[in-house]
Amino acid sequence: MTSLEWKYKGEFLTINNRKIFVIDEGNSDKTLVILHGYPTSSFDYYKVLPYLTKQYRVIIHDHLGFGFSDKPLDYSYSLIEQADIALLLWEKLNLKNVTLLAHDYGTSVATEIITRNNQSQLTINIEKLILCNGSMHIELAKLRTIQKLLKNKITGKWVAKLANQAIFNRNIRKIYFNKSKVSKEELNEMWFQINYNNGRNIIHLLSNYINERYFFWNRWIGALKQTKIPSKIVWATHDPIAVKAIAEQLHKEIPNNKLLWLENTGHFPMLENPKEWSDVVLK
């Protein structure tokens, strides 16, 4: 599937005067809302959408600054505000009961939402939580050099300017377990969406989420330790960034959870092994 085909599947909704791209598919009375990862978009789920919609109405939006959503220069791109946008979007769609699934960057947006849920601040009922390969325990994550440079306030802007598709392709390939599973066409579509709406001008701003994971560590990990939502941890075993130790630590501290492994799979399991990932998510 091409980026433009994906764009035609979705629609744009205005949240806080910003246009947010949303995919809304499936006719089930059960709803699955998905928070995608960095630096990609809802397009990460194009292979698994046909599996997921067999059991759910599936709603995936591009976070502000990602994919086809607006990419303003005058914005903080705080994970706190990304949580605001997600909640306002779901409210606009009149959602009442949902399963929340999050991957990578999206897991930190999810933990902010769980924090608010613990404090009875939500108008939506989260029935289940599914966490996939995210560096919530940032102290255990194995950050790539480019991530460290981009999150730095001094180097970030210059690294973003120098970034090109060859560097991007190389970094994405490195986080797959089976390098043959990522095609040149798929990388082209990812890069197209990063650049859409002059996205390279803000990629260093998006990278500040790593610093927020340290700053809000107690708020977000504390929320997971207190949540009463039944949770599932779906983790790829060969993710070189969000390593197995993170999943094991989450399994120890989230009260009511089940840990399920995806063997021989890297950081983007929904792209690398879509059928296997979907089976475990839907299990």
Side-chain angles (χ1 to χ4, degrees):
M1 179 177 287
T2 68
S3 292
L4 292 179
E5 287 171 332
W6 185 250
K7 187 180 178 184
Y8 292 142
K9 286 173 79 71
E11 62 178 327
F12 289 90
L13 296 178
T14 301
I15 307 293
N16 287 349
N17 297 315
R18 309 291 189 183
K19 287 184 180 178
I20 302 298
F21 176 76
V22 187
I23 293 285
D24 184 349
E25 286 210 354
N27 300 311
S28 174
D29 56 357
K30 295 192 300 178
T31 303
L32 176 69
V33 292
I34 298 178
L35 300 171
H36 72 78
Y38 168 98
T40 47
S41 68
S42 57
F43 186 71
D44 292 348
Y45 295 86
Y46 83 94
K47 288 181 180 176
V48 298
L49 194 59
Y51 300 118
L52 299 178
T53 51
K54 289 177 182 177
Q55 289 191 31
Y56 287 102
R57 172 190 178 188
V58 179
I59 295 166
I60 327 166
H61 70 280
D62 288 347
H63 304 297
L64 192 70
F66 294 78
F68 294 120
S69 290
D70 279 354
K71 297 172 179 176
L73 284 168
D74 57 338
Y75 199 78
S76 73
Y77 294 102
S78 168
L79 292 160
I80 303 283
E81 291 178 291
Q82 297 285 23
D84 291 340
I85 289 169
L87 290 168
L88 288 168
L89 171 69
W90 299 337
E91 188 176 321
K92 192 163 193 169
L93 292 170
N94 201 31
L95 304 184
K96 302 299 181 188
N97 301 293
V98 301
T99 293
L100 171 56
L101 183 150
H103 170 248
D104 185 72
Y105 178 99
T107 60
S108 290
V109 180
T111 50
E112 172 58 25
I113 291 169
I114 298 304
T115 303
R116 300 184 199 185
N117 184 71
N118 291 351
Q119 297 167 2
S120 302
Q121 295 177 359
L122 301 190
T123 59
I124 195 168
N125 176 43
I126 301 172
E127 297 177 316
K128 298 173 189 171
L129 173 67
I130 305 172
L131 297 172
C132 307
N133 289 77
S135 300
M136 291 153 283
H137 272 287
I138 189 66
E139 74 283 3
L140 298 175
K142 307 294 185 186
L143 296 180
R144 294 277 170 188
T145 301
I146 195 164
Q147 289 178 293
K148 294 175 183 176
L149 291 170
L150 281 167
K151 77 181 180 69
N152 186 289
K153 288 184 178 179
I154 298 170
T155 59
K157 189 173 183 178
W158 301 107
V159 172
K161 282 181 180 293
L162 293 170
N164 57 43
Q165 189 171 359
I167 293 170
F168 172 77
N169 289 359
R170 186 163 61 248
N171 278 284
I172 293 294
R173 287 184 192 281
K174 282 180 179 176
I175 57 180
Y176 273 65
F177 173 72
N178 184 343
K179 311 296 188 265
S180 69
K181 293 282 187 79
V182 56
S183 69
K184 185 177 180 181
E185 292 74 24
E186 205 163 75
L187 291 168
N188 288 343
E189 300 305 336
M190 290 179 182
W191 183 246
F192 172 81
Q193 292 192 35
I194 286 171
N195 281 278
Y196 187 85
N197 277 347
N198 297 313
R200 277 176 64 193
N201 292 336
I202 58 143
I203 197 163
H204 62 293
L205 301 176
L206 301 180
S207 303
N208 188 53
Y209 81 95
I210 296 171
N211 297 320
E212 285 194 299
R213 278 178 162 162
Y214 286 105
F215 189 80
F216 291 110
W217 191 97
N218 288 305
R219 176 178 173 86
W220 292 339
I221 296 299
L224 291 175
K225 290 177 179 178
Q226 295 167 20
T227 186
K228 295 178 182 177
I229 300 169
S231 303
K232 185 155 64 172
I233 302 163
V234 176
W235 219 263
T237 55
H238 286 71
D239 186 334
I241 302 169
V243 293
K244 287 176 69 175
I246 296 174
E248 290 163 349
Q249 184 60 34
L250 292 170
H251 183 49
K252 290 176 188 174
E253 59 199 11
I254 298 175
N256 179 16
N257 81 84
K258 190 175 288 184
L259 172 58
L260 299 168
W261 297 107
L262 273 166
E263 299 293 336
N264 299 325
T265 308
H267 184 67
F268 285 103
M270 68 290 298
L271 287 169
E272 188 173 348
N273 285 313
K275 177 66 166 64
E276 294 85 343
W277 180 85
S278 299
D279 287 345
V280 175
V281 164
L282 297 172
K283 190 174 179 180

